[in-house]
Amino acid sequence: MEEAPGVTSPLERELIDAVLELSANAIVLVDERGRIALWNAAAESVLGWPAEEALGQEVLTAMVAPNSHATARDLLGKLAANGTWEGAVPLRHRDGHAVVCAVRARALTGYGDGGGVGEVLAVFAELGRSGAEGTNGPPGTDAGDDRAALLRAERAALLRAERTARAELEHVRDRLAYVVHASSRLASSLDVGMTMEAVGDLVVPRFGTLCIIDLWDGRRLDRVYVREADPARQSLVEQIRRLGGTQRDGHPALRAVFTGRPAVLTATDPDTLGQMYAEPQAHAVLREATRGSGLIAMPLVTRGRVIGVLTLLGPGHAYGRDLAPGEDLAVLEQVATRAAQSIENARLFDAERRLARNLADSERRQRRTALTLQRSLLPTWTHPPGELEVATRYFPGAEEAEVGGDWYDVIPVGPGRTALVIGDVMGRGLRAATFMGQVRTAVRAYARQDLRPKEILGLLDGVVADLGDTEIVTCAYAVFDAARGTLTYASAGHLPLLTVDGNGKARRLDHEAGLPLGVGASSAAPMRTAPEHVVALPEETTVAFYTDGLVENRRRDVDAGIDALVDALARASGSLEGLCDQVIDALRPPGGYDDDVALLLARSLPRT
């Protein structure tokens, strides 16, 4: 059956197809060229032409006897002038005889524009037949009484046909509107429980008095939802719920799962109940639930697989009357398809939401563990060095960011000599924090030997290579000698140190740095020794060690951040603790730090 011209939306096409399929009246559409463009099953029944033969034929050739062509053209002229026409005419049957039909026609396009009749839609119903082709009118029309009776019959037939067509059209519209409403309702939720409730609202009591949803896990049915039309029958709901999982293989729900097709029972006799459940008590529960009627088990199919079964027990109620199980099966299939899609989408969304929640919980736990580990490894000043005033700050980045591997340390290495260390393990989370702890332990062990800074970094490079060939660590190691008033330091890829003299003049120590620890280190090609530098550190001079989280963020590159840190140190004043807070506040981005921040300030004290 061809698609009607002008029909564009899926709903309109579905409506037209349904009207043509369900209508008891013959319907034919004639295009602007006078050829048949649409032909339904009732038209084939009246005139004998199958749709595949009728479509594309000229309407005068297929439907009108040769000696009635002039009359037909006259009728087309009236259509062009008035837009509608109705009456009784003899039409040509496929085998040649005439069939008198009550016809009602309407011009769809071209009406009143002087350009011809255009498209014509005609509805006709058989009134009677004459014996030979070419009959120009109904038999017996010579008598006035017979003609009047025939006209009355024609008019009555047309009225009946019109009423029937209107009723059928309203029925189809109601069903289609219901399917559209169901689709909209089921698409509005991604919560599994709310989706089940929506299904229950849609199918009870329209398709049954009690609704069951069982989900299929590949081995058994899991009963997840039961809905009864009568709130007073909640005890029955609990009994039906307890029957979940006890079905025998002959149960309609299991047949629906295995076949992928609806299973309909018009009645629940003892033999049928015995195939469904082994326990007699279950039979009594089912008889009460079906209220003497039957049931229908509709498979829930989506993406080519059965995910469950929607079972409706008892008579449905729609169109002002009770419906037998399966009476409106086509509509229920549409609802079941949409319900399956909605339930599956809700389950997938719920699974993804649980996974995301579990992942977030796991990340939070790891973050807390890494933060606890990192803070436990940072030094506490039980015996601060006498020749230096030291102030430090460490805090992790934003809540959603993982803890990094930043660390600092202050280690007495001899009389009047103090090692100052800062480092950053490239990476995030518990692994970075654990790796940081191992490197820091190695630093403290080597520092006790009072080796030169470049030697310390050379040893640490081997440690990093041994611990993990994928890890990279930056580190600055310095030794303050109070007696000489000097700071000797070496850097393995770390950010430059900054100094602030007693007059508040700040500058960066732009000396050459070596490669980060763990880059290209091997026994065959050991690390190139990091350059070592010595700078004077007069009394009241402050040296700043820091990690990239302090100076770099999404809005500022690292060089601009270091310049901002130099300015902040030059403007800051007061105690060393106060300087830490002033610097942190001055460099804090509008949204807060998004990376770990470590800051170590050391100020040389007056020698006594």
Side-chain angles (χ1 to χ4, degrees), residues 59-76:
V59 68
L60 294 179
T61 302
M63 296 182 61
V64 181
N67 59 352
S68 299
H69 285 189
T71 303
R73 291 191 181 93
D74 182 57
L75 296 180
L76 290 175

Side-chain angles (χ1 to χ4, degrees), residues 387 480-486 537-540 604-608:
E387 63 275 3
F480 172 66
D481 190 323
R484 296 181 179 178
T486 59
L537 206 68
E539 296 178 4
E540 302 298 328
S604 58
L605 298 175
R607 288 181 287 276
T608 57

Side-chain angles (χ1 to χ4, degrees), residues 251-394:
H251 196 286
L254 288 171
R255 293 209 307 270
V257 168
F258 297 139
T259 64
R261 296 193 299 271
V264 180
L265 295 181
T266 57
T268 48
D269 55 76
D271 291 340
T272 302
L273 292 173
Q275 295 174 7
M276 295 168 61
Y277 294 100
E279 295 296 328
Q281 183 179 1
H283 302 174
V285 172
L286 206 63
R287 280 194 295 268
E288 182 181 357
T290 57
R291 303 189 183 190
S293 182
L295 62 86
I296 177 170
M298 180 67 65
L300 298 173
V301 183
T302 182
R303 298 179 178 92
R305 64 186 184 91
V306 177
I307 65 166
V309 183
L310 172 63
T311 305
L312 282 307
L313 294 84
H317 187 83
Y319 320 117
R321 60 183 179 85
D322 286 344
L323 302 181
E327 182 176 338
D328 220 356
L329 190 61
V331 177
L332 183 57
E333 286 178 328
Q334 293 292 322
V335 175
T337 297
R338 288 157 175 79
Q341 295 169 351
S342 184
I343 291 172
E344 182 72 354
N345 290 340
R347 292 169 67 189
L348 290 174
F349 180 77
D350 186 62
E352 291 179 359
R353 187 167 52 188
R354 287 199 307 271
L355 179 62
R357 187 165 53 245
N358 293 339
L359 182 60
D361 290 342
S362 176
E363 290 176 345
R364 281 194 293 270
R365 288 193 297 271
Q366 285 200 20
R367 177 183 170 85
R368 287 195 297 268
T369 302
L371 187 58
T372 301
L373 173 62
Q374 192 172 42
R375 284 175 171 165
S376 69
L377 294 173
L378 295 177
T380 55
W381 313 123
T382 53
H383 300 288
E387 63 275 3
L388 285 172
E389 179 187 1
V390 176
T392 60
R393 292 291 184 274
Y394 170 80

Side-chain angles (χ1 to χ4, degrees), residues 522-542:
S522 67
S523 58
M527 172 189 176
R528 180 171 62 87
T529 303
E532 191 173 273
H533 311 283
V534 180
V535 295
L537 206 68
E539 296 178 4
E540 302 298 328
T541 299
T542 301

